[in-house]
Structure formats: structure tokens, C-alpha cells
Amino acid sequence: MGVAHAVLTIKGTHLASHGALSESQAWAKVWAVFFIEICGSFSARAGVQGHIKMHHAHTNVIGLGDSSVWKVPFLPRIVYLFIAPLAVPIITPLVALGYLKGHSLAHVVQTVLMVTLGLYSQYWLLINVSGFNSAVSALLCMLVCRAMFSVPYIHVNIFQHIGLPMFSPTSRPKRIYQMTHGVLNLPRNPVLDWLFGHSLINCHVEHHLFPFLSDNMCLKVKPIVSKYLTEKQLPYQEDSYLSRLRIFFHKYQELMVFAPPITELVGVQ
């Protein structure tokens, strides 16, 4: 159940936010609501705004797409890296409510209803189909399955951007320099590939260069992108999960608490 939920709420929501599940714009919106709001307990509009219009459009640009949304400076490194992510299933709908401020009443009602529908549907299935005998046990099961992969979820979101060059909004480099310097690939991993998809793990550079390519196509163009960037003497950044974890563990204050330095790419602006 935890694996199924992770596939829906990580890979599914990511693909839905990019409109990659249908060529029809109307159906793309339907899938975004289903995966992001019903399955993921978040606002579809806020998810698309934050991921597509901010993170992708302004990757590693200070104050825009610098991944600072993932930083919680007051938490100690052990708590942040290994304990706090377990609260993601509880925090997510609360954050979604915060993003609803200033929106129309109709939009607020729709989002609240969809999120409630998703949560209640899982609860109903556990009680009436899976045979849970009490509300407490069903709710505990929901929390466990929803938090099962929240630790790697947080790790992946910070490992691939934070600690890499950050740029000023007034002097950002051209897109190819911005993406090659500010994005990192993790190696292939059967579990993470299945749960997150290639575009979030081992083809993240390709995904940022070509955000509308499917997971399968990102994997196919990976050797071409790698060869091209190498020939052009551009960085093609890769590192292992454990290596990134060690870096964040030992440099937690520098990476997750203090403001990042601004990088100036001399000669390519």
C-alpha cells in the first residue's frame, strides 16, 4: 500500500503537474486534480504554480526557484533529515490550506472537497474492504503508508539542487548554463526509479533541459545529452545518494540554514 501510494503521489503528481498524462488540456487538468489533490492532498493549482512556473522556469535563481521552500532552518540536521519527513502526510494538507488564501471561494471549496475525498476514500476502504476494526488502526495505517517513502522524498528534493550554483535574478546565465550547473542526477536505483520516475532520479538534468519529455524519453536521450555536454565542456553533474546524504549531513548549516552564495559564470552571461 505504501509503494502504491508513493507511485501515485510522487510519480503521478509530477507527471500530472507537467500535463504529461494527456494531450488534451481539459483531461490534463482532470488528472492534475486527481493525482495532486485527491491522491496527494495538495492544491493542484499551487502545485503547478510552484513546480512549473517557479522551479522549472527559475531553477536555482535566488528568491524564485532556489528550493528554499524545502528549508526549515530551526530544525537540527538529524531531525530534518530523518525524523521530520515522517510528518509530511500531516503537513501537506495544512500547507495546501495556506496556499488557498486569496483564491475564490469556488476554488477553495473544490480543493478542500477533493482533498477530503481522497483522505476519506482511503479510510473507507481500510474499514470496509481491508477489515480494520477501529478508526485508530485505520488512521495509523494511513499515516504509515503515506509516510513510508517521505524520507527519500525530502532527500531527493534537496539533493539535486541545493548545494549547487545559485544565480541572481538580475544576472542569470543562459538556460543551458543555468540547468547544467544547477541540476544533478542521482544514479539508477530500482526502488527510486519505480517510485519517483527517471525524470526525478537519474535523468533530472535531461528533465530540466526538456521538461515536456516523458520518463521513457528522458532515459533515451540521456546518453545523447551526456555526450553533447561533455563535448561542449559543460558540466554533467552526477553523484550518489549516499554521497549527497553525507554532504548534507556534514554541511547542514551551510546548505540548509545559511543563505547560499550567488554564482557568477564569467564569460557565459
Side-chain angles (χ1 to χ4, degrees):
M1 188 184 298
V3 171
H5 185 268
V7 171
L8 290 172
T9 58
I10 301 175
K11 183 190 287 187
T13 57
H14 184 236
L15 293 173
S17 70
H18 280 277
L21 298 175
S22 175
E23 293 183 358
S24 163
Q25 290 189 357
W27 273 107
K29 291 180 180 179
V30 170
W31 288 123
V33 169
F34 174 75
F35 281 102
I36 300 174
E37 295 187 355
I38 296 178
C39 297
S41 302
F42 197 69
S43 163
R45 184 177 294 181
V48 172
Q49 171 70 24
H51 186 70
I52 305 299
K53 298 183 179 180
M54 296 299 289
H55 176 65
H56 271 278
H58 308 286
T59 302
N60 285 32
V61 175
I62 299 292
L64 295 171
D66 58 3
S67 298
S68 58
V69 67
W70 300 105
K71 296 184 177 183
V72 189
F74 62 84
L75 289 180
R77 62 182 177 181
I78 295 293
V79 174
Y80 179 88
L81 291 171
F82 304 109
I83 300 173
L86 300 177
V88 165
I90 298 172
I91 296 171
T92 300
L94 299 179
V95 173
L97 290 175
Y99 277 114
L100 293 177
K101 292 180 181 179
H103 289 284
S104 67
L105 179 61
H107 175 69
V108 171
V109 171
Q110 173 198 298
T111 302
V112 170
L113 287 177
M114 293 300 102
V115 171
T116 303
L117 174 63
L119 293 170
Y120 182 74
S121 297
Q122 186 179 11
Y123 173 80
W124 186 91
L125 288 170
L126 290 173
I127 293 292
N128 295 281
V129 178
S130 299
F132 280 76
N133 296 320
S134 71
V136 173
S137 61
L139 291 172
L140 182 61
C141 179
M142 288 175 63
L143 178 61
V144 170
C145 80
R146 286 168 178 257
M148 188 173 293
F149 296 100
S150 57
V151 171
Y153 172 74
I154 293 297
H155 288 176
V156 167
N157 275 290
I158 64 175
F159 287 176
Q160 294 179 310
H161 295 284
I162 295 177
L164 301 177
M166 294 284 171
F167 309 106
S168 167
T170 59
S171 60
R172 69 174 72 187
K174 292 181 180 179
R175 178 178 171 80
I176 191 168
Y177 297 108
Q178 179 184 349
M179 299 307 170
T180 54
H181 284 81
V183 187
L184 175 143
N185 284 344
L186 295 172
R188 294 199 66 172
N189 178 292
V191 176
L192 296 182
D193 286 351
W194 177 253
L195 298 179
F196 289 76
H198 300 300
S199 59
L200 287 177
I201 302 299
N202 64 302
C203 297
H204 203 52
V205 173
E206 290 76 10
H207 174 61
H208 269 264
L209 288 171
F210 310 106
F212 296 106
L213 287 184
S214 67
D215 265 15
N216 188 47
M217 284 304 299
C218 279
L219 195 60
K220 287 187 176 181
V221 303
K222 181 181 175 70
I224 300 172
V225 171
S226 174
K227 180 181 178 182
Y228 176 83
L229 295 180
T230 301
E231 289 176 350
K232 298 298 181 180
Q233 297 184 327
L234 290 168
Y236 185 76
Q237 304 192 80
E238 298 178 289
D239 201 1
S240 71
Y241 189 102
L242 289 179
S243 173
R244 295 300 287 171
L245 182 58
R246 282 194 294 268
I247 290 171
F248 275 79
F249 187 83
H250 293 295
K251 296 184 177 181
Y252 181 77
Q253 291 283 324
E254 176 185 335
L255 297 176
M256 301 300 292
V257 178
F258 302 142
I262 294 176
T263 298
E264 293 284 349
L265 299 180
V266 179
V268 299
Q269 298 297 95

